[in-house]
Amino acid sequence: MKKRKVSIFMKLFFTYLISSFAAFILFSFIFYLLFNNNLKQSFLNSMETQQEQVVQILELAYQEENKEAIISTLSIINDQEHRSIFIYDKNGQLLYRFSTLQEPIHIEEEMIYKALQGASVKEFIKDKANPLFIMASPIEANEFDFDEKVVVIALHNYFGVVNGIKGLFLLAGAITIVVTTTFLYTLSKKITAPLREMNHVAMEYAKGDFTNKVKIKSNDEIGQLGKTFNYMANELSSLDLMRKEFVANVSHDMRSPLTSINGFVGALLDGTIPKNQQKRYLYLMKDETERLIKLVNDLLDIARIEAGQVSIQPINYNLSEQIRKLIAKMEPELIKQNIDIEFQGNLDEDIEVFADQNRMDQVFGNLLQNAVNFSPEKGLVTIIINELDHNVMVFIKDQGPGIKKEELKYIWDRFFKVDKARSKKVGTGIGLSIVKHIIDLHQAKIDVKSEVGVGTTFRVTLPRFSLKKNEI
């Protein structure tokens, strides 16, 4: 059974809601306990005040020598459903009873006895139907000898007060829940809105449309994520553009030699080419075939390198001899393009480096090929080898058109080509990417300096010896 998809908005909203409700319930519980204790204390304090009023009424009645005033006055002030007043004599006999309750209230004789002994007694009787607060206290007179010795006050509207407060509290709680839910819903919508927008933009990216950008409205983690999305879009757009250019370049570079080879083969088969010129055309076909082989090898190399399937086996070998052999291999092409190579240094001196000889042959071969390709006719390519401490630096300088300063940082990228107009057959734009990957595998360094209209210089820095050899 497929699980139901729950959006992050719903998760966030319900998390906030449950947390708010839990906090509200905890607050309500604590509030109720505090309110209950405070209400009980308020009832008890109220009984003390009412006991003082009874004593004052008795004093006034004795001053006027009118005991009927006791009954009339206490009846008036006790005209409440939540209070009852009982007055006892010195023998514990009930003299007056003022109560609106139909059912009698049972007063413990022990409470009366303690009050007659001069003690004030307070009790809370937990009756489910009608809980009572009862206070029995002695009546103390300063001027008169009262027949009335004990007053008992009973408050019995505790639930009425509590229920009234509960009603207000429930109303306030309902309003709070509605307002809180609305606020949390709006807040969750606002927080998750950028995420929904990012999801929409990501779907557009998946379809290959990188023109949409995330609107950055904050500088928090979500804002930073939005900036990352936009940066990713720029990178993907750039990579997609390079990919399209690469496909176009590779198609062009493969179609041109294949078209030439196909044409030459057709001409040879038709007998259009005279026998005395057939060898020349076969060499042309060989050159075009070698171009195709190099293109395919470069593509395989970059694929293996980026997949982490290429490792290096560094050894100490003769770098000077390697450079001399590369120059010798390129001699036919140098003569064909009328370009000179100058090797500055002692040709008889051998300089060793610690590197993978085959891979470095690929590095220097690519750099020399680039220098030759971009050099003008009768141009000069200069190779310099310098030793500095434990390193060897190889400089390869050409007199080509140079590279613009803003383009230098892109020359190591896959498929990047300086000659976008393809005015010269200078490869597919992956040669320098292969060079950079190989140098990085050696943990060595390569950098470039270029000036438009003057030329370009690449510098490769390699260690002279292995670490183990240095330690020895």
mmCIF file of all heavy atoms in Angstrom, residues 340-371:
data_model
loop_
_atom_site.group_PDB
_atom_site.id
_atom_site.type_symbol
_atom_site.label_atom_id
_atom_site.label_comp_id
_atom_site.label_asym_id
_atom_site.label_seq_id
_atom_site.Cartn_x
_atom_site.Cartn_y
_atom_site.Cartn_z
ATOM 1 N N ASP A 340 58.948 27.341 -35.214
ATOM 2 C CA ASP A 340 60.190 26.927 -34.566
ATOM 3 C C ASP A 340 59.953 26.654 -33.088
ATOM 4 O O ASP A 340 59.087 27.283 -32.457
ATOM 5 C CB ASP A 340 61.260 28.010 -34.714
ATOM 6 C CG ASP A 340 61.725 28.152 -36.156
ATOM 7 O OD1 ASP A 340 61.658 27.144 -36.890
ATOM 8 O OD2 ASP A 340 62.116 29.278 -36.537
ATOM 9 N N ILE A 341 60.746 25.743 -32.529
ATOM 10 C CA ILE A 341 60.746 25.480 -31.080
ATOM 11 C C ILE A 341 62.143 25.751 -30.556
ATOM 12 O O ILE A 341 63.141 25.250 -31.093
ATOM 13 C CB ILE A 341 60.338 24.035 -30.772
ATOM 14 C CG1 ILE A 341 58.835 23.854 -30.977
ATOM 15 C CG2 ILE A 341 60.666 23.693 -29.314
ATOM 16 C CD1 ILE A 341 58.289 22.531 -30.507
ATOM 17 N N GLU A 342 62.207 26.549 -29.498
ATOM 18 C CA GLU A 342 63.482 26.867 -28.857
ATOM 19 C C GLU A 342 63.497 26.252 -27.458
ATOM 20 O O GLU A 342 62.622 26.525 -26.637
ATOM 21 C CB GLU A 342 63.654 28.379 -28.768
ATOM 22 C CG GLU A 342 64.985 28.781 -28.133
ATOM 23 C CD GLU A 342 65.140 30.290 -28.025
ATOM 24 O OE1 GLU A 342 64.160 31.014 -28.301
ATOM 25 O OE2 GLU A 342 66.226 30.744 -27.637
ATOM 26 N N PHE A 343 64.467 25.409 -27.237
ATOM 27 C CA PHE A 343 64.631 24.747 -25.940
ATOM 28 C C PHE A 343 65.762 25.460 -25.213
ATOM 29 O O PHE A 343 66.939 25.243 -25.508
ATOM 30 C CB PHE A 343 64.947 23.267 -26.158
ATOM 31 C CG PHE A 343 64.898 22.445 -24.888
ATOM 32 C CD1 PHE A 343 64.546 22.994 -23.668
ATOM 33 C CD2 PHE A 343 65.212 21.092 -24.922
ATOM 34 C CE1 PHE A 343 64.500 22.240 -22.537
ATOM 35 C CE2 PHE A 343 65.179 20.316 -23.779
ATOM 36 C CZ PHE A 343 64.816 20.893 -22.584
ATOM 37 N N GLN A 344 65.399 26.304 -24.257
ATOM 38 C CA GLN A 344 66.398 27.084 -23.540
ATOM 39 C C GLN A 344 66.949 26.264 -22.382
ATOM 40 O O GLN A 344 66.205 25.841 -21.506
ATOM 41 C CB GLN A 344 65.795 28.393 -23.036
ATOM 42 C CG GLN A 344 65.395 29.350 -24.146
ATOM 43 C CD GLN A 344 64.877 30.667 -23.604
ATOM 44 O OE1 GLN A 344 64.893 30.913 -22.404
ATOM 45 N NE2 GLN A 344 64.438 31.548 -24.507
ATOM 46 N N GLY A 345 68.225 26.040 -22.421
ATOM 47 C CA GLY A 345 68.882 25.247 -21.387
ATOM 48 C C GLY A 345 69.949 24.380 -22.030
ATOM 49 O O GLY A 345 70.114 24.337 -23.257
ATOM 50 N N ASN A 346 70.635 23.682 -21.183
ATOM 51 C CA ASN A 346 71.693 22.790 -21.670
ATOM 52 C C ASN A 346 71.059 21.496 -22.175
ATOM 53 O O ASN A 346 70.534 20.709 -21.400
ATOM 54 C CB ASN A 346 72.679 22.494 -20.532
ATOM 55 C CG ASN A 346 73.902 21.737 -21.041
ATOM 56 O OD1 ASN A 346 73.950 21.292 -22.186
ATOM 57 N ND2 ASN A 346 74.901 21.604 -20.172
ATOM 58 N N LEU A 347 71.096 21.304 -23.496
ATOM 59 C CA LEU A 347 70.462 20.124 -24.077
ATOM 60 C C LEU A 347 71.146 18.837 -23.652
ATOM 61 O O LEU A 347 70.557 17.758 -23.724
ATOM 62 C CB LEU A 347 70.456 20.232 -25.607
ATOM 63 C CG LEU A 347 69.645 21.406 -26.180
ATOM 64 C CD1 LEU A 347 69.733 21.411 -27.693
ATOM 65 C CD2 LEU A 347 68.196 21.315 -25.749
ATOM 66 N N ASP A 348 72.373 18.944 -23.252
ATOM 67 C CA ASP A 348 73.098 17.738 -22.846
ATOM 68 C C ASP A 348 72.899 17.409 -21.359
ATOM 69 O O ASP A 348 73.249 16.316 -20.907
ATOM 70 C CB ASP A 348 74.600 17.911 -23.122
ATOM 71 C CG ASP A 348 74.879 18.079 -24.615
ATOM 72 O OD1 ASP A 348 74.113 17.483 -25.403
ATOM 73 O OD2 ASP A 348 75.822 18.803 -24.967
ATOM 74 N N GLU A 349 72.362 18.365 -20.605
ATOM 75 C CA GLU A 349 72.155 18.145 -19.175
ATOM 76 C C GLU A 349 70.832 17.417 -18.941
ATOM 77 O O GLU A 349 69.806 17.772 -19.516
ATOM 78 C CB GLU A 349 72.141 19.482 -18.436
ATOM 79 C CG GLU A 349 71.962 19.346 -16.933
ATOM 80 C CD GLU A 349 71.876 20.699 -16.249
ATOM 81 O OE1 GLU A 349 71.929 21.715 -16.958
ATOM 82 O OE2 GLU A 349 71.715 20.732 -15.015
ATOM 83 N N ASP A 350 70.879 16.413 -18.121
ATOM 84 C CA ASP A 350 69.677 15.645 -17.815
ATOM 85 C C ASP A 350 69.109 16.081 -16.462
ATOM 86 O O ASP A 350 69.832 16.104 -15.456
ATOM 87 C CB ASP A 350 69.986 14.147 -17.774
ATOM 88 C CG ASP A 350 70.274 13.608 -19.165
ATOM 89 O OD1 ASP A 350 69.788 14.215 -20.131
ATOM 90 O OD2 ASP A 350 70.979 12.594 -19.279
ATOM 91 N N ILE A 351 67.818 16.415 -16.453
ATOM 92 C CA ILE A 351 67.116 16.812 -15.221
ATOM 93 C C ILE A 351 66.029 15.782 -14.951
ATOM 94 O O ILE A 351 65.221 15.482 -15.823
ATOM 95 C CB ILE A 351 66.501 18.215 -15.362
ATOM 96 C CG1 ILE A 351 67.609 19.244 -15.590
ATOM 97 C CG2 ILE A 351 65.681 18.569 -14.123
ATOM 98 C CD1 ILE A 351 67.077 20.645 -15.839
ATOM 99 N N GLU A 352 66.047 15.252 -13.759
ATOM 100 C CA GLU A 352 65.057 14.233 -13.396
ATOM 101 C C GLU A 352 63.919 14.831 -12.556
ATOM 102 O O GLU A 352 64.124 15.795 -11.818
ATOM 103 C CB GLU A 352 65.709 13.092 -12.607
ATOM 104 C CG GLU A 352 66.608 12.208 -13.459
ATOM 105 C CD GLU A 352 67.009 10.941 -12.726
ATOM 106 O OE1 GLU A 352 66.750 10.856 -11.504
ATOM 107 O OE2 GLU A 352 67.569 10.029 -13.365
ATOM 108 N N VAL A 353 62.747 14.210 -12.681
ATOM 109 C CA VAL A 353 61.596 14.562 -11.858
ATOM 110 C C VAL A 353 60.966 13.274 -11.343
ATOM 111 O O VAL A 353 61.219 12.184 -11.872
ATOM 112 C CB VAL A 353 60.540 15.374 -12.654
ATOM 113 C CG1 VAL A 353 61.068 16.731 -13.026
ATOM 114 C CG2 VAL A 353 60.064 14.604 -13.871
ATOM 115 N N PHE A 354 60.124 13.426 -10.293
ATOM 116 C CA PHE A 354 59.418 12.274 -9.731
ATOM 117 C C PHE A 354 57.951 12.393 -10.142
ATOM 118 O O PHE A 354 57.184 13.186 -9.579
ATOM 119 C CB PHE A 354 59.547 12.270 -8.206
ATOM 120 C CG PHE A 354 58.888 11.093 -7.549
ATOM 121 C CD1 PHE A 354 59.431 9.821 -7.671
ATOM 122 C CD2 PHE A 354 57.717 11.250 -6.815
ATOM 123 C CE1 PHE A 354 58.833 8.730 -7.062
ATOM 124 C CE2 PHE A 354 57.101 10.169 -6.203
ATOM 125 C CZ PHE A 354 57.669 8.909 -6.329
ATOM 126 N N ALA A 355 57.551 11.622 -11.160
ATOM 127 C CA ALA A 355 56.190 11.705 -11.691
ATOM 128 C C ALA A 355 55.898 10.458 -12.513
ATOM 129 O O ALA A 355 56.770 9.614 -12.739
ATOM 130 C CB ALA A 355 56.016 12.971 -12.532
ATOM 131 N N ASP A 356 54.662 10.353 -12.959
ATOM 132 C CA ASP A 356 54.258 9.264 -13.851
ATOM 133 C C ASP A 356 54.662 9.660 -15.265
ATOM 134 O O ASP A 356 54.109 10.582 -15.855
ATOM 135 C CB ASP A 356 52.741 9.060 -13.766
ATOM 136 C CG ASP A 356 52.277 7.840 -14.530
ATOM 137 O OD1 ASP A 356 52.681 7.678 -15.698
ATOM 138 O OD2 ASP A 356 51.482 7.042 -13.972
ATOM 139 N N GLN A 357 55.626 8.954 -15.817
ATOM 140 C CA GLN A 357 56.215 9.364 -17.092
ATOM 141 C C GLN A 357 55.190 9.374 -18.227
ATOM 142 O O GLN A 357 55.147 10.314 -19.018
ATOM 143 C CB GLN A 357 57.371 8.428 -17.449
ATOM 144 C CG GLN A 357 58.135 8.858 -18.707
ATOM 145 C CD GLN A 357 59.374 8.035 -18.926
ATOM 146 O OE1 GLN A 357 59.705 7.154 -18.137
ATOM 147 N NE2 GLN A 357 60.091 8.309 -20.000
ATOM 148 N N ASN A 358 54.358 8.350 -18.307
ATOM 149 C CA ASN A 358 53.383 8.275 -19.398
ATOM 150 C C ASN A 358 52.357 9.404 -19.308
ATOM 151 O O ASN A 358 52.005 10.024 -20.318
ATOM 152 C CB ASN A 358 52.666 6.921 -19.374
ATOM 153 C CG ASN A 358 53.604 5.776 -19.706
ATOM 154 O OD1 ASN A 358 54.567 5.946 -20.476
ATOM 155 N ND2 ASN A 358 53.353 4.608 -19.127
ATOM 156 N N ARG A 359 51.865 9.664 -18.073
ATOM 157 C CA ARG A 359 50.882 10.728 -17.915
ATOM 158 C C ARG A 359 51.491 12.111 -18.160
ATOM 159 O O ARG A 359 50.854 12.988 -18.738
ATOM 160 C CB ARG A 359 50.257 10.669 -16.514
ATOM 161 C CG ARG A 359 49.367 9.466 -16.297
ATOM 162 C CD ARG A 359 48.193 9.494 -17.245
ATOM 163 N NE ARG A 359 47.364 8.291 -17.152
ATOM 164 C CZ ARG A 359 46.354 8.013 -17.941
ATOM 165 N NH1 ARG A 359 46.033 8.860 -18.918
ATOM 166 N NH2 ARG A 359 45.656 6.907 -17.794
ATOM 167 N N MET A 360 52.726 12.315 -17.728
ATOM 168 C CA MET A 360 53.367 13.607 -17.966
ATOM 169 C C MET A 360 53.694 13.786 -19.447
ATOM 170 O O MET A 360 53.704 14.908 -19.964
ATOM 171 C CB MET A 360 54.634 13.736 -17.125
ATOM 172 C CG MET A 360 54.374 13.828 -15.625
ATOM 173 S SD MET A 360 53.116 15.059 -15.180
ATOM 174 C CE MET A 360 53.812 16.557 -15.855
ATOM 175 N N ASP A 361 53.924 12.672 -20.150
ATOM 176 C CA ASP A 361 54.102 12.740 -21.604
ATOM 177 C C ASP A 361 52.816 13.278 -22.247
ATOM 178 O O ASP A 361 52.861 14.067 -23.188
ATOM 179 C CB ASP A 361 54.434 11.344 -22.142
ATOM 180 C CG ASP A 361 55.044 11.412 -23.534
ATOM 181 O OD1 ASP A 361 56.188 11.889 -23.664
ATOM 182 O OD2 ASP A 361 54.358 10.999 -24.488
ATOM 183 N N GLN A 362 51.679 12.863 -21.679
ATOM 184 C CA GLN A 362 50.392 13.343 -22.163
ATOM 185 C C GLN A 362 50.216 14.827 -21.843
ATOM 186 O O GLN A 362 49.709 15.594 -22.671
ATOM 187 C CB GLN A 362 49.284 12.516 -21.512
ATOM 188 C CG GLN A 362 47.910 12.693 -22.107
ATOM 189 C CD GLN A 362 46.893 11.753 -21.479
ATOM 190 O OE1 GLN A 362 47.222 10.987 -20.561
ATOM 191 N NE2 GLN A 362 45.666 11.799 -21.966
ATOM 192 N N VAL A 363 50.656 15.246 -20.651
ATOM 193 C CA VAL A 363 50.541 16.649 -20.243
ATOM 194 C C VAL A 363 51.364 17.549 -21.160
ATOM 195 O O VAL A 363 50.844 18.508 -21.745
ATOM 196 C CB VAL A 363 50.987 16.827 -18.776
ATOM 197 C CG1 VAL A 363 51.157 18.310 -18.436
ATOM 198 C CG2 VAL A 363 49.982 16.184 -17.837
ATOM 199 N N PHE A 364 52.642 17.250 -21.279
ATOM 200 C CA PHE A 364 53.503 18.115 -22.085
ATOM 201 C C PHE A 364 53.150 18.030 -23.565
ATOM 202 O O PHE A 364 53.286 19.020 -24.303
ATOM 203 C CB PHE A 364 54.978 17.746 -21.867
ATOM 204 C CG PHE A 364 55.467 18.046 -20.475
ATOM 205 C CD1 PHE A 364 56.013 17.045 -19.677
ATOM 206 C CD2 PHE A 364 55.368 19.323 -19.952
ATOM 207 C CE1 PHE A 364 56.453 17.318 -18.395
ATOM 208 C CE2 PHE A 364 55.809 19.604 -18.659
ATOM 209 C CZ PHE A 364 56.350 18.591 -17.881
ATOM 210 N N GLY A 365 52.690 16.856 -24.017
ATOM 211 C CA GLY A 365 52.250 16.732 -25.402
ATOM 212 C C GLY A 365 51.071 17.638 -25.692
ATOM 213 O O GLY A 365 51.025 18.325 -26.721
ATOM 214 N N ASN A 366 50.101 17.680 -24.767
ATOM 215 C CA ASN A 366 48.937 18.563 -24.948
ATOM 216 C C ASN A 366 49.340 20.033 -24.930
ATOM 217 O O ASN A 366 48.848 20.835 -25.728
ATOM 218 C CB ASN A 366 47.905 18.302 -23.848
ATOM 219 C CG ASN A 366 46.902 17.228 -24.218
ATOM 220 O OD1 ASN A 366 46.420 17.189 -25.342
ATOM 221 N ND2 ASN A 366 46.599 16.337 -23.292
ATOM 222 N N LEU A 367 50.208 20.399 -23.981
ATOM 223 C CA LEU A 367 50.620 21.804 -23.876
ATOM 224 C C LEU A 367 51.405 22.241 -25.114
ATOM 225 O O LEU A 367 51.198 23.351 -25.632
ATOM 226 C CB LEU A 367 51.462 22.004 -22.608
ATOM 227 C CG LEU A 367 50.722 21.835 -21.273
ATOM 228 C CD1 LEU A 367 51.690 21.989 -20.104
ATOM 229 C CD2 LEU A 367 49.579 22.840 -21.141
ATOM 230 N N LEU A 368 52.296 21.369 -25.608
ATOM 231 C CA LEU A 368 53.056 21.703 -26.824
ATOM 232 C C LEU A 368 52.147 21.773 -28.038
ATOM 233 O O LEU A 368 52.292 22.656 -28.893
ATOM 234 C CB LEU A 368 54.161 20.673 -27.048
ATOM 235 C CG LEU A 368 55.402 20.799 -26.140
ATOM 236 C CD1 LEU A 368 56.348 19.622 -26.353
ATOM 237 C CD2 LEU A 368 56.137 22.104 -26.440
ATOM 238 N N GLN A 369 51.191 20.852 -28.115
ATOM 239 C CA GLN A 369 50.262 20.852 -29.246
ATOM 240 C C GLN A 369 49.433 22.129 -29.253
ATOM 241 O O GLN A 369 49.207 22.742 -30.309
ATOM 242 C CB GLN A 369 49.350 19.631 -29.156
ATOM 243 C CG GLN A 369 48.455 19.432 -30.366
ATOM 244 C CD GLN A 369 49.239 19.098 -31.624
ATOM 245 O OE1 GLN A 369 50.035 18.156 -31.645
ATOM 246 N NE2 GLN A 369 49.052 19.894 -32.680
ATOM 247 N N ASN A 370 48.977 22.562 -28.054
ATOM 248 C CA ASN A 370 48.230 23.816 -27.971
ATOM 249 C C ASN A 370 49.079 24.999 -28.416
ATOM 250 O O ASN A 370 48.608 25.891 -29.122
ATOM 251 C CB ASN A 370 47.751 24.039 -26.534
ATOM 252 C CG ASN A 370 46.417 23.374 -26.263
ATOM 253 O OD1 ASN A 370 45.813 22.800 -27.153
ATOM 254 N ND2 ASN A 370 45.960 23.437 -25.022
ATOM 255 N N ALA A 371 50.346 25.008 -27.958
ATOM 256 C CA ALA A 371 51.233 26.115 -28.313
ATOM 257 C C ALA A 371 51.438 26.186 -29.822
ATOM 258 O O ALA A 371 51.433 27.269 -30.424
ATOM 259 C CB ALA A 371 52.570 25.946 -27.595
#
